[in-house]
Every structure is written in C-alpha cells, then in structure tokens.
Amino acid sequence: MKKKIAVLTGAGVSAESGLGTYRDNGGLWDNYDPMEVASIQGWYKNRKLVLDFYNMQRAKLKDTKPNAAHLAIAALEKDYDVTVITQNVDNLHEKAGSTKVIHLHGEATKVRPENGVYEESFSEREVIDVGYEPVNLGDKAPNGCQLRPHIVFFGESVPKIEPAIDVVAAADLLLIVGTSMQVYPAAGLYRYADPKAPIYVVDPADLPLHDPRITHIKDVATKGMEKFIKILEER
Ligand code: APR
C-alpha cells in the first residue's frame, strides 16, 4: 500500500504562477479590505462589490498556469497516496493534475445560491461551476436566489475542516507549502498529525510554528519542492 502524504497549501504555492499572496508586502489584503470583499458582513453590505472582486479573481485564473511546485505535488501521486488540502480558491492543483484536492476556503470558479441566515448550510448539489465567467447582481440560481461566490467568507464556518483533519491524522507525512499559518482553523491542522509523522514546511519566511517534528525548507515553492523531493528520495 502506498504511504499517505497530506499536503497543506496556501497562497505561496501559487505565487510563482503570478497570483499574489494575501499578506506579503503588496499582497491582496494591502489593496483590498478583506472585511469589505471577503466577509459575510461585507456580502450583506455590498453584494456587487463582493461579486466584482471574485469576478476579477475568477477571470485571472483563465490564463494562469500551474508552476513547478504544483506539478511536483501532483507527481508525488506516482509513488504516494496524496491528498492536497488547499486554502487557495484557485484551480492550479487541479490544472497540475492532482486528483484529490480539498478546497478548505471554497473555489473561485464556482457559485451557489445565497440562502439567507444559515449561509453555510448548502448542498453540494447546488454548487454551479461557472468557469471563468462573471456573475452579477440579479443572476439567480434555479431556486430563485441570488448567486454568491462558493467561497468561505470570513465569519463563516469551514465545512471541509472535518475531512481535512481526518486526512492529516491518517498521513504518514505532512507537507505544508506557502502559507503564513495565520488563518484558523487551517493553521491548526498540523496539530492533528500523527506524532510519528514528520512535517516539512516549504516557505521563504519564518513561520510561527513550534513543533520538533517540523523541518523548515526555507525557500520559494518551486525550489523548495525540489529540495523536498530530494529529502524524500533519501529517506
Ligand atoms: N513560495 C512559497 N511561499 C511563498 C512564496 C513563494 N514563492 N511567496 C510567498 N510565500 C509565502 C509567504 O512567506 C507566506 O508565508 O506564502 C505565504 C502567504 O501567506 P498569506 O498571504 O497569508 O496566504 P495564506 O496563508 O494562504 O492565507 C490563508 O487567508 O485571507 C485568507 O482565505 C484567504 O486562504 C487565504 C487564507
């Protein structure tokens, strides 16, 4: 049986594809207020602003290609049972060929009906893949409700956290790539790793991680993945 690798990724894995991160200098949250464009309060305050923000994010993905790090993660499937848990709303892991991807924070290419008070309680069957097309005020789902981005807004629960915890807990090795580990519950996932499972972190920055199992490969995703693969081959 193949050994299991859980890979947790953040915006840093897509940085070398030309997609900006959120919290680095000049990142998305330097130019936009996340509470205005990516929170549930922001949605109710100004739906058009939020739709436009995600229309822009979605359109950018059309011509964005996976980089060597996404490809290296996908190639791990040859020898390992790999599940990617990504905080990213882009589709670059899928474009690279990864077959098991859990999108913790939703997907920019998808929308679903707005359902009122319990926004998080939706059925997967209601989710619509719009590809790279814009969605505007007045665009309705078959049930007559306004369409909203299929995104976990700040202030909403993270429905995929339970399956993600199971994947991390069952993994023989955990690899974390390109996340500042500032947003919970994703940032706490590594604590569920098996005590015997090594944890590798690929990120050019120092991170607030304190666990003796962690080996920090302090490099950008593409180069860091090359180093990680070498380590894996030598293990
Ligand atoms: N390669 C690898 N890592 C990189 C690179 C690179 N080329 N460039 C930057 N990084 C690292 C940064 O050092 C940082 O640790 O990527 C991380 C990006 O951190 P954030 O911008 O905070 O992104 P992320 O951790 O994915 O954010 C989590 O916050 O706003 C929300 O929903 C949004 O999913 C997102 C969540």
Side-chain angles (χ1 to χ4, degrees), residues 2-221:
K2 286 179 175 174
K3 292 222 160 171
K4 289 186 166 68
I5 298 187
V7 188
L8 172 67
T9 65
V13 75
S14 298
E16 289 162 273
S17 290
L19 297 177
T21 64
Y22 295 95
R23 294 177 184 77
D24 289 306
N25 272 341
L28 214 44
W29 296 156
D30 268 357
N31 298 307
Y32 295 89
D33 179 350
M35 289 305 132
E36 297 292 326
V37 298
S39 79
I40 188 63
Q41 297 91 328
W43 171 252
Y44 285 122
K45 191 170 150 200
N46 190 342
R47 288 175 173 81
K48 182 174 161 27
L49 187 77
V50 176
L51 286 167
D52 285 347
F53 176 75
Y54 283 101
N55 285 343
M56 182 184 73
Q57 300 301 106
R58 191 178 306 123
K60 254 195 259 173
L61 298 181
K62 190 172 180 192
D63 299 315
T64 303
K65 294 191 177 57
N67 63 51
H70 298 103
L71 294 170
I73 291 167
L76 286 173
E77 289 190 21
K78 199 156 79 63
D79 298 313
Y80 298 91
D81 177 357
V82 183
T83 305
V84 178
I85 302 162
T86 188
Q87 298 166 82
N88 299 344
V89 300
D90 67 46
N91 55 0
L92 296 181
H93 285 300
E94 286 89 347
K95 281 188 182 176
S98 283
T99 59
K100 288 196 276 180
V101 185
I102 297 176
H103 280 274
L104 275 183
H105 296 164
E107 293 170 78
T109 53
K110 295 181 179 171
V111 296
R112 64 172 196 259
E114 169 193 70
N115 283 332
V117 186
Y118 296 107
E119 278 292 339
E120 298 103 326
S121 55
F122 61 92
S123 152
E124 286 291 336
R125 276 173 305 163
E126 295 179 300
V127 176
I128 301 169
D129 191 333
V130 290
Y132 306 108
E133 296 303 313
V135 172
N136 298 307
L137 261 190
D139 289 347
K140 304 263 168 70
N143 69 0
C145 290
Q146 169 67 43
L147 289 170
R148 58 162 276 178
H150 182 46
I151 294 289
V152 175
F153 290 140
F154 284 106
E156 294 190 305
S157 65
V158 180
K160 296 267 172 75
I161 197 68
E162 295 294 335
I165 289 172
D166 291 345
V167 167
V168 170
D172 297 296
L173 184 151
L174 173 63
L175 169 65
I176 301 173
V177 188
T179 169
S180 61
M181 300 292 269
Q182 288 191 40
V183 175
Y184 284 81
L189 269 176
Y190 78 98
R191 300 206 191 104
Y192 292 90
D194 186 291
K196 293 189 295 296
I199 304 174
Y200 290 88
V201 173
V202 175
D203 198 294
D206 288 319
L207 297 174
L209 299 175
H210 308 286
D211 191 306
R213 288 173 295 170
I214 294 178
T215 304
H216 188 177
I217 302 171
K218 210 170 164 185
D219 212 332
V220 294

